[in-house]
Amino acid sequence: MSRYDAVYARSIQDPEGFWAEAANDVHWFRRWDRVLDRSRAPFDRWFVGGKTNSCYNALDLHVERGRGEQLALIYDSPLANVVRSFTYRELRDEVARVAGGLTSLGVGQGDRVIIYMPMIPEAVMAMLACARIGAIHSVVFGGFAAPELAKRIDDAKPKLVISASCGLEPGKVIAYKPLVDEAIELSAAKPQTCLFLQRPQMQAALKLGRDRDWNDVMSGGRSADCVPLEATDPLYILYTSGTTGHPKGVVRDNGGHLVALKWSMKNVYGVDPGEVYWAASDIGWVVGHSYIVYAPLFHGCTTILYEGKPVGTPDPGAFWRVISQHGVRALFTAPTAFRAIKRDDPKGEHIRRYDLREFRTLFLAGERCDPDTLLWAQEKLAVPVIDHWWQTETGWPIGANCVGLGMLPVKPGSCTKPVPGYDVRFLDNNGREVPDGQLGNVVIRLPLPPGCLPTLWKADSEYEKWYLSSYPGYYKTADAGFRDLDGYISIMSRTDDIINVAGHRLSTGAMEEVLASHPDIAECAVIGVADALKGEVPIGLVVLKSGVVREHKDIVSELIQIVRDRVGPVASFKKATIVKRLPKTRSGKIVRGTIKKIAEGTEYIIPPTIDDPATLDEISASLKTLGYAPVMAPAGPR
Ligand code: COA
Ligand code: AMP
């Protein structure tokens, strides 16, 4: 039995003993009364009665234990042309000052604070400052448009919105202030105060009364201490795409999250305190929350906040420059970043320009990693490349090759085995386990391990409906996959309408809602189609209302613009076409899977339930105009 097998078996047989032991590794102001409380099942809670503080565990504890002069955070921005570092002592003092500033604005325990900021140190400080005083942060990714920000403001009802004057993208400065203003204009739950950090690249004109300048507020000189919080108190809400246009507010608690994330650093990622760990993601995503901010700091590592891209800032050697300059041991990013690097530097020539001897492991997640990309990275970097699988909801990996528990052989296309704590099963639509090798609905047997979502923000029944009701006793991941005879798991696709665009999770349903609101549109479908760089990109197929005689190209450009304006540029919605009708089954369901196959040029079978097979020929012709090359369907029931 391997070390992984033994640890995994124990975590499933005795979850309470297993996690109680892991919990000894973190600081508690008060020890818990019960490790796992299932009295309100399915709303299971970890470490009930325990008191802790996530910011204390991330910063103060390390200063007190002698890591004060070690670097905690390195901000590296090729876009701003700045590298700035903070020791644990400096970061603790800054965060205490920011926490004092928030307190002076009337923010206290349980208040929500929306953080809509670019990848700058003040964003990390704002998150940790909230954690320090028990305010609940909700970070919104900068690539979302104002209406998406407004939805999150309306749901979280924040006392404060923290933003910056601008974000930086290659070749452009993006003004954030107008987006915040528009979002607040659109929202019903208007925050009392907005705090803006003025960046040198662009100043924002502040609105008298509502807006405050970050530096003015923080120069008040007061600091705030860590507040002991219940382990079950929320640390943050992170909104993620659901199957409707309404995002889901994933709640994260303090205690379970702290224990699980701290445990994962050594056991999943094989990293030791004092080492440099880099997650090249964005703080607006769960990867950024867990592995830029919290986990590396809980573990006493140096974390990197990178404001740049894998390519073009300035070249495809950007990642190797950061790794060698800062002594990174483990890098975590999305496969799409590697596809971009491989596209621009297929021979890996930029890799040879840097000394990467200290670099040990590459971790990829966020979307399915195609074997070609994994093998390319492995060959060029000569380090293990670990594909691992998780979700915003879980907050940390569900399936991985747990490097710290003894690395298992890598099988490209598989994320290896379930991580200790997760009892992963594969069910058919009737809830019966499918045999190994057969595709099934991927579910996790309850209880979920610590760190996973205890519920959705103010929406217990939605939590039950979306995640727990389809397969009683199990959490539904909404992924489809299989386990092979060696126990390796492969995650193949989503079972809902979520698509993954450059590692960003987006709902096609939300985009359809936007298209349907256009006055000329009668009906529409948004489909995720394979893309060599981004994994998947959305395309829109729309049917016009009768009597609309406008130029099609004008309508299409309006559609592209409204998705950009209402969902955000991050959706990468750049292709739409007007069709006479959408192919549907006799019961009126759009045959999205078949349309996807047609666009991707893979063979498809004409669905036996299709209402009119001729619609598929029409769609094929329309997709050709978008640059896709459909293959002919074999003869079917025409
Ligand atoms: N604020 C404002 N706009 C943003 C933004 C932000 N924080 N992040 C992205 N955007 C905009 C971009 O400027 C771009 O706009 P454009 O349509 O005007 O060009 C659009 O959103 C899409 O951005 P992006 O997804 O970054 O695509 P790209 O084509 O600029 O770059 C990659 C492609 C592959 C290099 C890039 O997607 C990448 O680095 N991906 C890694 C993804 C990742 O880390 N995912 C996290 C999950 S682990
Ligand atoms: P997010 O909540 O943004 O992290 O997206 C989670 C979804 O991304 C999962 O439900 C999967 O569909 C997909 N995903 C993440 N990591 C992987 C992976 N390693 N392999 C396959 N799919 C993945």
Side-chain angles (χ1 to χ4, degrees):
M1 201 189 232
S2 72
R3 182 143 167 258
Y4 158 80
D5 286 328
V7 173
Y8 180 74
R10 171 145 190 256
S11 77
I12 301 302
Q13 282 152 16
D14 175 22
E16 296 197 43
F18 183 88
W19 290 112
E21 210 170 287
N24 286 329
D25 204 22
V26 307
H27 173 273
W28 299 90
F29 293 107
R30 182 184 185 277
R31 202 178 154 82
W32 57 89
D33 298 321
R34 295 181 73 174
V35 181
L36 174 62
D37 180 359
R38 304 207 71 188
S39 61
R40 263 191 72 232
F43 299 95
D44 300 329
R45 304 309 312 256
W46 287 93
F47 305 109
V48 173
K51 280 188 183 277
T52 187
N53 183 286
S54 297
C55 180
Y56 185 82
N57 274 277
L59 300 175
D60 304 55
L61 184 68
H62 299 304
V63 178
E64 287 161 21
R65 292 190 179 166
R67 276 189 198 282
E69 307 323 311
Q70 181 200 307
L71 291 186
L73 177 72
I74 300 171
Y75 164 59
D76 185 312
S77 173
L79 288 168
N81 207 11
V82 173
V83 175
R84 227 172 115 199
S85 318
F86 301 82
T87 64
Y88 268 95
R89 188 183 308 284
E90 287 165 344
L91 191 59
R92 180 204 54 185
D93 293 347
E94 287 289 336
V95 168
R97 207 163 56 84
V98 175
L102 298 187
T103 313
S104 74
L105 294 176
V107 176
Q109 190 176 336
D111 289 333
R112 273 81 59 212
V113 174
I114 292 244
I115 300 174
Y116 183 69
M117 291 180 100
M119 290 281 284
I120 52 177
E122 289 79 1
V124 175
M125 291 170 194
M127 291 167 76
L128 291 166
C130 288
R132 196 169 185 85
I133 58 173
I136 303 164
H137 62 70
S138 187
V139 182
V140 180
F141 178 60
F144 279 125
E148 287 295 317
L149 177 58
K151 285 180 194 169
R152 287 151 175 83
I153 292 176
D154 274 339
D155 197 73
K157 302 187 176 35
K159 196 169 225 176
L160 175 71
V161 173
I162 310 182
S163 188
S165 53
C166 64
L168 304 178
E169 282 287 295
K172 56 192 174 188
V173 176
I174 295 166
Y176 275 29
K177 177 80 180 9
L179 298 170
V180 174
D181 286 345
E182 188 190 335
I184 293 177
E185 191 63 37
L186 290 170
S187 62
K190 306 209 185 302
Q192 288 163 13
T193 314
C194 293
L195 189 56
F196 286 94
L197 181 101
Q198 300 279 16
R199 298 189 77 183
Q201 293 80 5
M202 178 186 276
Q203 296 284 302
L206 300 188
K207 204 168 170 171
L208 212 66
R210 187 197 70 185
D211 297 343
R212 300 289 305 273
D213 182 285
W214 171 283
N215 285 327
D216 291 348
V217 171
M218 301 314 163
S219 61
R222 53 174 112 174
S223 287
D225 245 338
C226 294
V227 174
L229 301 167
E230 295 293 335
T232 50
D233 279 342
L235 168 66
Y236 69 76
I237 308 165
L238 178 57
Y239 289 90
T240 189
S241 298
T243 42
T244 63
H246 188 73
K248 294 174 178 155
V250 168
V251 173
R252 195 80 61 211
D253 67 9
N254 273 281
H257 172 253
L258 167 60
V259 171
L261 261 60
K262 169 87 174 78
W263 184 90
S264 72
M265 284 302 286
K266 176 69 188 162
N267 294 288
V268 178
Y269 295 99
V271 172
D272 285 319
E275 293 191 321
V276 183
Y277 178 92
W278 177 25
S281 176
D282 189 288
I283 48 149
W285 306 117
V286 67
V287 176
H289 281 62
S290 296
Y291 292 105
I292 295 175
V293 182
Y294 286 108
L297 297 178
F298 289 156
H299 200 48
C301 290
T302 302
T303 186
I304 296 195
L305 183 73
Y306 175 70
E307 189 183 34
K309 301 265 173 178
V311 295
T313 57
D315 56 40
F319 276 16
W320 326 130
R321 194 267 303 159
V322 173
I323 290 174
S324 69
Q325 186 169 336
H326 304 303
V328 172
R329 304 301 169 101
L331 166 65
F332 176 172
T333 190
T336 189
F338 266 79
R339 288 196 295 269
I341 296 170
K342 183 171 132 202
R343 179 195 62 188
D344 288 9
D345 182 20
K347 293 192 183 137
E349 279 159 0
H350 285 267
I351 298 174
R352 291 193 280 279
R353 290 168 48 211
Y354 297 95
D355 180 357
L356 303 181
R357 273 174 301 183
E358 288 186 317
F359 181 49
R360 252 186 347 238
T361 332
L362 170 65
F363 294 89
L364 298 175
E367 55 176 320
R368 184 174 157 71
C369 182
D370 52 291
D372 277 358
T373 301
L374 187 137
L375 293 170
W376 182 86
Q378 202 165 273
E379 188 212 315
K380 300 290 181 241
L381 289 167
V383 297
V385 180
I386 309 291
D387 175 16
H388 64 324
W389 159 62
W390 49 302
Q391 310 186 308
T392 304
E393 288 84 345
T394 63
W396 65 291
I398 312 167
N401 199 332
C402 293
V403 172
L405 296 175
M407 215 177 89
L408 302 170
V410 169
K411 278 196 196 183
S414 162
C415 63
T416 314
K417 294 201 175 183
V419 170
Y422 291 97
D423 189 353
V424 179
R425 307 286 177 105
F426 301 81
L427 307 182
D428 66 18
N429 289 342
N430 299 315
R432 280 188 299 263
E433 290 208 32
V434 298
D436 284 345
Q438 201 170 306
L439 199 69
N441 297 293
V442 192
V443 297
I444 304 167
R445 196 156 174 267
L446 299 177
L448 292 169
C452 297
L453 79 171
T455 189
L456 294 174
W457 179 248
K458 302 264 185 233
D460 281 354
S461 58
E462 293 282 292
Y463 170 65
E464 277 193 280
K465 180 174 123 196
W466 290 115
Y467 299 105
L468 307 177
S469 65
S470 305
Y471 307 101
Y474 297 92
Y475 163 87
K476 180 174 86 171
T477 65
D479 279 322
F482 64 91
R483 181 175 50 214
D484 73 11
L485 293 173
D486 299 323
Y488 276 55
I489 55 185
S490 293
I491 302 302
M492 306 306 289
S493 60
R494 292 282 302 193
T495 57
D496 56 13
D497 72 350
I498 300 288
I499 57 170
N500 236 303
V501 181
H504 310 315
R505 172 167 159 178
L506 295 158
S507 156
T508 52
M511 288 182 238
E512 286 175 4
E513 278 180 27
V514 172
L515 296 183
S517 72
H518 188 286
D520 295 341
I521 303 304
E523 221 188 345
C524 65
V526 173
I527 315 279
V529 176
D531 180 81
L533 174 66
K534 299 199 172 187
E536 257 179 324
V537 288
I539 59 165
L541 304 169
V542 299
V543 178
L544 298 183
K545 284 182 183 159
S546 65
V548 174
V549 289
R550 299 179 55 213
E551 283 275 348
H552 285 190
K553 72 172 182 2
D554 293 342
I555 298 175
V556 166
S557 36
E558 285 165 19
L559 294 175
I560 289 168
Q561 194 58 43
I562 53 171
V563 174
R564 194 178 172 88
D565 292 345
R566 298 211 205 144
V567 178
V570 68
S572 291
F573 183 81
K574 304 215 160 141
K575 284 186 176 178
T577 184
I578 292 166
V579 296
K580 273 205 232 88
R581 46 199 183 142
L582 291 167
K584 290 184 184 169
T585 61
R586 281 188 284 277
S587 60
K589 253 181 110 180
I590 299 168
V591 291
R592 290 160 201 280
T594 310
I595 301 176
K596 181 175 165 69
K597 283 195 175 137
I598 296 176
E600 290 174 354
T602 45
E603 273 198 18
Y604 63 96
I605 295 166
I606 295 171
T609 53
I610 192 113
D611 185 33
D612 179 1
T615 50
L616 293 175
D617 298 333
E618 290 166 23
I619 286 289
S620 294
S622 300
L623 289 169
K624 270 191 195 150
T625 66
L626 290 182
Y628 294 105
V631 290
M632 292 305 293
R638 293 199 177 233

